[in-house]
């Protein structure tokens, strides 16, 4: 296997980003990779702190995730859910029996006064993650979706309403008072850093909250290393989630090229799927390279290969 030198910081949301994070972890030594998770999807359910993107990444890195469902743990059971439904009638957000242990462990630690960074590190270590996972911030940021059906909390829009409302505006509540996690600052300022990856996550719902944190774009620029993004849009569709639908609702073409444009100057390189190769000419410019790859990650081999392609472009740009 090709050896990559230096350290990488990867910005990620849930499912798609978690898959590439797993591939990157396969190609890099544990101290070479730091994954930064969006936490604007976080919310409280049954008085438990749920951090969906942290958990999706954590489970994927530890090879415990359910690939088919896209979230939660493999070999899950749902007996608590059934019992809670009997008591409360509430069933729109599903918490599996084993998954509940993660939320209990996190909530207990947070109530003891531990930081989200510390409890995430403890979960990563105990579940067997091969690399470091950091929440984007310690402060509370909550995505609010303004839609044709009124204002919704993110999980109400995403899970309860199945992304059906037409989105008019997305607001990250608390973003002005929030700061980039100091541990992320440190990772970005590490002299051994050789590249930053923007995983194929939803640009508006998953990556934007990270980039909108005070100090984030400045820290990325100050790092002075290449930034490579991977398109979450393949052939006009998102592999999972509402990215393509959202782009239409926000009056953008639902193409990989529109995602590249959205990230703008942030990107030094962008990877799109082989089937979108005709968009390369539109994406590439003197300051931005475009490469095509097989970007649908169906199994471990394809996750590893996309990670190799991403790391190779970073190395080329370095
Ligand atoms: N997604 C669903 O579509 N339905 C669910 O019931 C659901 C429960 C759930 C529980 C814990 C967790 O960590 C994630 C969960 N997700 C569920 C996924 C999650 O809400 C979304 O995939 C992300 O917020 C979007 O990145």
């Amino acid at each position: 296997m090709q050896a990559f030198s230096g350290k990488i910081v990867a910005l990620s949301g849930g499912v798609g980003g978690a898959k590439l994070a797993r591939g990157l972890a396969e190609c890099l030594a544990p101290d070479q990779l730091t994954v930064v998770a969006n936490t604007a999807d976080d919310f409280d359910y049954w008085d438990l702190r749920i951090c969906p993107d942290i958990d999706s990444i954590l489970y994927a890195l530890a090879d415990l995730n359910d690939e088919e469902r896209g979230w939660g743990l493999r070999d899950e059971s749902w007996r608590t859910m059934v019992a809670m439904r009997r008591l409360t009638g509430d069933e729109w957000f599903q918490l599996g029996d084993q998954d509940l242990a993660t939320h209990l462990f996190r909530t207990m630690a947070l109530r003891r006064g531990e930081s989200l960074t510390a409890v995430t590190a403890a979960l990563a270590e105990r579940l067997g993650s091969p690399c470091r996972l950091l929440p984007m911030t310690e402060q509370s940021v909550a995505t609010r979706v303004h839609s044709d059906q009124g204002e919704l909390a993110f999980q109400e829009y995403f899970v309860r309403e199945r992304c059906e409302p037409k989105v008019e505006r997305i607001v990250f509540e608390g973003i002005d008072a929030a700061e980039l996690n100091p541990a992320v600052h440190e990772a970005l300022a590490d002299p051994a850093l050789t590249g930053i990856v923007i995983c194929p996550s939803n640009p508006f719902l998953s990556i934007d909250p990270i980039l909108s944190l005070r100090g984030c774009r400045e820290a990325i620029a100050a790092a002075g290393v290449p930034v490579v993004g991977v398109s979450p849009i393949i052939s006009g569709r998102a592999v999972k989630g509402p990215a393509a639908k959202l782009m239409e609702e926000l009056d953008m073409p639902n193409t990989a090229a529109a995602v590249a444009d959205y990230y703008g100057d942030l990107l030094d390189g962008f990877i799109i799927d082989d089937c979108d190769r005709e968009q390369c000419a539109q994406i590439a410019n003197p300051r931005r390279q475009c490469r095509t790859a097989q970007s649908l990650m169906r199994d471990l081999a394809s996750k590893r290969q996309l990670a190799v392609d991403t790391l190779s472009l970073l190395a080329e740009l370095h």
Side-chain angles (χ1 to χ4, degrees), residues 246-264:
L246 256 175
M247 291 174 89
E248 279 174 25
E249 290 167 356
L250 299 175
D251 286 331
M252 279 180 215
N254 52 357
T255 60
V259 175
D261 278 352
Y262 186 72
Y263 286 134

Side-chain angles (χ1 to χ4, degrees), residues 3 81 122 197 252 294 313 315:
M81 200 66 223
V197 175
M252 279 180 215
Q294 171 50 259
L313 180 53

Side-chain angles (χ1 to χ4, degrees), residues 19-206:
K19 287 184 183 180
L20 183 60
R22 176 76 205 285
L24 290 167
E26 286 279 314
C27 302
L28 298 166
D31 68 340
Q32 283 185 290
L33 176 62
T34 298
V35 182
V36 179
N38 167 42
T39 58
D41 295 8
D42 297 8
F43 79 130
D44 292 321
Y45 193 75
W46 297 348
D47 281 348
L48 298 173
R49 191 67 181 154
I50 318 288
C51 303
D53 287 356
I54 287 182
D55 293 342
S56 293
I57 300 167
L58 208 51
Y59 295 160
L61 287 171
D63 192 20
L64 296 168
N65 59 315
D66 187 299
E67 290 274 351
E68 205 141 303
R69 206 183 316 114
W71 51 269
L73 288 156
R74 210 162 47 229
D75 302 322
E76 187 58 283
S77 58
W78 306 92
R79 300 193 59 174
T80 312
M81 200 66 223
V82 172
M84 278 300 271
R85 193 176 304 152
R86 211 157 43 212
L87 294 175
T88 66
D90 200 357
E91 57 176 327
W92 66 270
F93 199 75
Q94 317 258 320
L95 295 178
D97 296 331
Q98 300 176 79
D99 187 35
L100 264 170
T102 303
H103 312 308
L104 283 165
F105 182 89
R106 172 187 298 121
T107 306
M108 284 155 49
L110 293 174
R111 286 196 188 149
R112 281 196 303 271
E114 285 179 34
S115 67
L116 185 59
T117 302
V119 66
T120 303
L123 281 165
E125 193 203 328
R126 289 170 200 208
L127 293 177
S129 162
C131 68
R132 194 152 78 124
L133 174 60
L134 295 172
M136 65 179 196
T137 182
E138 277 297 333
Q139 286 81 43
S140 170
V141 177
T143 299
R144 307 283 304 175
V145 177
H146 294 249
S147 78
D148 60 350
Q149 293 177 33
E151 189 186 331
L152 298 164
F154 178 74
Q155 297 297 337
E156 290 171 349
Y157 160 75
F158 195 91
V159 176
R160 198 187 66 198
E161 304 302 328
R162 297 185 194 86
C163 308
E164 280 163 14
K166 185 172 182 294
V167 175
E168 291 159 356
R169 201 158 55 92
I170 298 163
V171 173
F172 307 127
E173 205 173 74
I175 198 82
D176 292 341
E179 281 181 356
L180 186 67
N181 187 339
V184 178
H185 258 297
E186 264 172 49
L188 290 171
D190 189 330
L193 189 75
T194 50
I196 297 168
V197 175
I198 299 185
C199 288
S201 297
N202 189 309
F204 320 99
L205 294 168
S206 303

Side-chain angles (χ1 to χ4, degrees), residues 207-242:
I207 302 297
D208 251 4
I210 307 177
L211 296 175
S212 303
L213 285 163
R214 193 177 336 132
C216 185
R217 284 180 183 269
E218 293 81 350
I220 290 173
V225 298
V227 179
V228 164
V230 179
S231 175
I233 300 288
I234 301 177
S235 196
R237 296 172 61 170
V239 179
K240 198 164 175 19

